[in-house]
Amino acid sequence: MPGLITDFLISLDDRFLYFVNWLHGDIRQYNIEDVKNPKLTGQVWVGGLIQKGSPIVAVTDDGETWQAEVPEIQGKKLRAGPQMIQLSLDGKWLYATNSLFSTWDKQFYPDLVQQGSHIIQIDVDTEKGGLKINPNFFVDFGTEPHGPSLAHEMRYPGGDCTSDIWI
């Protein structure tokens, strides 16, 4: 199964590239200070189709099968795969939603439509590189008053590293 990168961004200091893989379920951070030799410095699994319990497995180069461990946050199972990301201006927090398009959500992640999506926060090591899921931050759109909702994109208050706040 190929990956589906649905969003990427570069940190304001041009040191790190981030991207999300909606089908596989991971968020990656690469150090791009040497643009000809990017280095993977952080990766977290936050859902996707290649998680434990799924009928889909990844096959490594040596033929072994593998599935990602996806943690719960505040007792909630993470649903679908990461879809859109926003990075704070200081580069210390990366936020991710998980709904791509409702028709695709229905096809690949039917539970997402029934249970609603969420926003999670990833803590970023801006010195050495590295990503860690913040267990204290979870916005659950499955508990909305009029039923589950799908969060596609978000905007960081005051702008983020991808906005035109400098013009």
Side-chain angles (χ1 to χ4, degrees), residues 70-91:
V70 176
E72 289 185 352
I73 298 179
Q74 299 177 5
K76 301 278 186 158
K77 183 176 188 217
L78 298 182
R79 305 178 284 273
Q83 198 285 123
M84 294 291 280
I85 50 177
Q86 294 288 307
L87 183 66
S88 62
L89 290 173
D90 62 6

Side-chain angles (χ1 to χ4, degrees), residues 11-62:
S11 62
L12 207 54
D13 61 6
D14 294 329
R15 290 183 59 221
F16 296 106
L17 168 76
Y18 299 88
F19 75 74
V20 295
N21 188 336
W22 188 67
L23 290 178
H24 290 183
D26 61 320
I27 299 174
R28 296 186 192 187
Q29 175 196 52
Y30 286 88
N31 182 314
I32 57 169
E33 290 174 294
D34 177 358
V35 295
K36 293 183 181 179
N37 190 26
K39 292 190 181 349
L40 180 64
T41 53
Q43 182 177 25
V44 290
W45 291 90
V46 297
L49 295 173
I50 316 176
Q51 62 178 289
K52 289 210 188 254
S54 166
I56 299 169
V57 297
V59 180
T60 62
D61 291 338
D62 61 2

Side-chain angles (χ1 to χ4, degrees), residues 74-108:
Q74 299 177 5
K76 301 278 186 158
K77 183 176 188 217
L78 298 182
R79 305 178 284 273
Q83 198 285 123
M84 294 291 280
I85 50 177
Q86 294 288 307
L87 183 66
S88 62
L89 290 173
D90 62 6
K92 293 182 180 181
W93 299 291
L94 185 69
Y95 296 88
T97 59
N98 60 340
S99 172
L100 181 58
F101 300 110
S102 61
T103 52
W104 283 42
D105 295 343
K106 288 175 189 173
Q107 179 177 355
F108 291 97

